[in-house]
Amino acid sequence: MSSEYRCHFDNLLILDFEGTCEKDDHDYPSEIIQFSVCVLNTRDKIIREDVSFNKYVRPVINPKLTDFCAELTGIDQDTIDNARTFPEVYNQFCAWLKEHDFQEKRFAIVCDSRQDMWRLAQYQFLLNKQPFPTIFRQWVNLSLYYRQDLRMAQQQDAVHQSLIERMSAFYNIPNEGQAHNAMDDCSFLAKVTKRILDNGTFVNINESLKCIAGSRNVPFNVDPGWKSNFASSCKVLEAILPLVSFRMRDYNYEVNYGKCHYCFSPECTGLEHKQYPNYVYEQLKEPSVFAVTAGLMKE
């Protein structure tokens, strides 16, 4: 085991969101309802038990949780009704960063996959008509390290299990929290991140956002059942959302931080390039609720 972690960043902020949802409906206009962060200090090689961020968020578009969402997340309606809206909670998060002296370029955000930043966060800021924050434009996708470790161990990924369940089994790290509770998920993912670092792996930002990717310019046939199929919905949403996630190799935080890696503008929102996937919208049997709600297409 190395005496120092192989990581450029002083702290890794393990982040997880929970959002509003409905069963078998991936066209649902999801709003963030729980915003949680755990801290892994890479210099002291510890998970900070004394510092964390955990706030519930009151949705505006669909303020009443669906029965499915309440059961899935364990979040009750009273908790949501008494929470602050996302812009207020995001401001609290920025104040929390400042309070604990977490400085940009000296920390990186860690997520279990691309969904939290590419889909949930990007969509939330579109709903709020706010610029997408620089600190959310790049992140460590933990699932890419997990898959790398699987390959090295010559193991096949399990099926019919959540990513967290599969990570728990592979790394032999018990997941003691409640499924789909953002704070519990963060706590578990922090342990996985530490295990990966303890194994001597170099951990760096490995995913980012940009306005244009080659795959977005290639028309495809929309699955008629895309709303109820996760993989098909991701393909549709990748065409609809202004910024697309992509794999970063050899990320240099001094050069790449906060920039769109297509147009290299730090202010790029993707909307400036007037991408409008007509070929997708023309195939939909009915307008996408996800797109219409965020103003990405006309009804």
Side-chain angles (χ1 to χ4, degrees):
M1 185 184 298
S2 172
S3 61
E4 294 184 359
Y5 280 156
R6 298 177 62 206
C7 184
H8 291 310
F9 305 98
D10 297 333
N11 291 283
L12 296 175
L13 306 188
I14 292 84
L15 179 150
D16 191 62
F17 294 131
E18 293 300 328
T20 56
C21 54
E22 179 58 291
K23 187 176 182 180
D24 297 328
D25 184 4
H26 299 294
D27 192 34
Y28 195 83
S30 295
E31 301 168 83
I32 293 170
I33 54 172
Q34 190 181 8
F35 185 153
S36 302
V37 180
C38 284
V39 179
L40 196 164
N41 182 302
T42 64
R43 303 313 176 214
D44 294 334
K45 302 172 71 171
I46 61 170
I47 297 170
R48 295 280 304 273
E49 300 291 344
D50 59 323
V51 178
S52 62
F53 183 87
N54 184 43
K55 298 289 183 182
Y56 292 100
V57 185
R58 175 162 50 86
V60 175
I61 294 164
N62 290 306
K64 188 177 188 309
L65 300 181
T66 64
D67 292 340
F68 172 76
C69 182
E71 183 176 351
L72 181 73
T73 63
I75 301 173
D76 61 67
Q77 189 64 47
D78 285 344
T79 297
I80 291 302
D81 289 342
N82 289 301
R84 297 184 180 274
T85 61
F86 184 81
E88 296 173 284
V89 171
Y90 180 70
N91 287 339
Q92 290 177 336
F93 174 64
C94 292
W96 178 82
L97 292 175
K98 186 174 181 180
E99 175 189 354
H100 296 287
D101 197 28
F102 294 130
Q103 300 175 20
E104 286 193 51
K105 297 187 181 180
R106 299 310 310 154
F107 71 82
I109 286 174
V110 178
C111 301
D112 65 347
S113 69
R114 67 173 181 161
Q115 297 295 323
D116 290 276
M117 291 297 135
W118 161 68
R119 184 171 62 88
L120 278 168
Q122 179 179 188
Y123 190 67
Q124 184 69 62
F125 282 92
L126 285 170
L127 292 176
N128 293 130
K129 296 180 172 55
Q130 292 178 294
F132 197 65
T134 301
I135 59 174
F136 283 175
R137 288 178 175 268
Q138 56 284 303
W139 61 94
V140 178
N141 181 338
L142 203 58
S143 71
L144 297 180
Y145 287 99
Y146 160 66
R147 290 169 191 157
Q148 175 181 290
D149 287 346
L150 271 180
R151 290 192 296 271
M152 291 180 64
Q154 298 183 331
Q155 292 188 23
Q156 294 293 320
D157 204 1
V159 295
H160 306 306
Q161 289 182 318
S162 71
L163 177 60
I164 283 181
E165 289 172 327
R166 296 183 334 251
M167 286 182 175
S168 176
F170 179 77
Y171 291 109
N172 194 26
I173 299 175
N175 178 22
E176 300 169 340
Q178 176 183 322
H180 301 291
N181 176 284
M183 195 69 234
D184 288 343
D185 286 350
C186 284
S187 297
F188 170 77
L189 294 170
K191 295 173 185 176
V192 172
T193 306
K194 189 175 188 303
R195 173 69 58 81
I196 291 169
L197 285 163
D198 284 339
N199 289 341
T201 303
F202 174 53
V203 172
N204 195 14
I205 286 168
N206 57 13
E207 271 193 341
S208 186
L209 293 172
K210 63 180 178 178
C211 56
I212 296 175
S215 60
R216 295 179 68 157
N217 299 323
V218 180
F220 62 89
N221 294 323
V222 174
D223 176 1
W226 72 274
K227 292 189 177 187
S228 60
N229 182 286
F230 178 73
S232 296
S233 70
C234 284
K235 196 168 184 180
V236 171
L237 299 184
E238 189 169 63
I240 288 174
L241 284 166
L243 296 171
V244 63
S245 66
F246 78 107
R247 180 88 175 265
M248 290 288 293
R249 298 182 186 276
D250 302 319
Y251 182 90
N252 184 324
Y253 63 94
E254 292 292 352
V255 175
N256 302 130
Y257 180 81
K259 295 178 182 176
C260 167
H261 296 285
Y262 179 83
C263 68
F264 300 103
S265 167
E267 286 83 32
C268 174
T269 67
L271 296 169
E272 297 88 345
H273 303 282
K274 297 182 174 60
Q275 295 179 94
Y276 195 80
N278 282 311
Y279 72 91
V280 170
Y281 294 137
E282 287 168 358
Q283 295 180 66
L284 302 183
K285 296 177 181 178
E286 54 190 21
S288 163
V289 177
F290 181 94
V292 170
T293 305
L296 298 172
M297 74 171 290
K298 299 174 183 177
E299 292 189 67

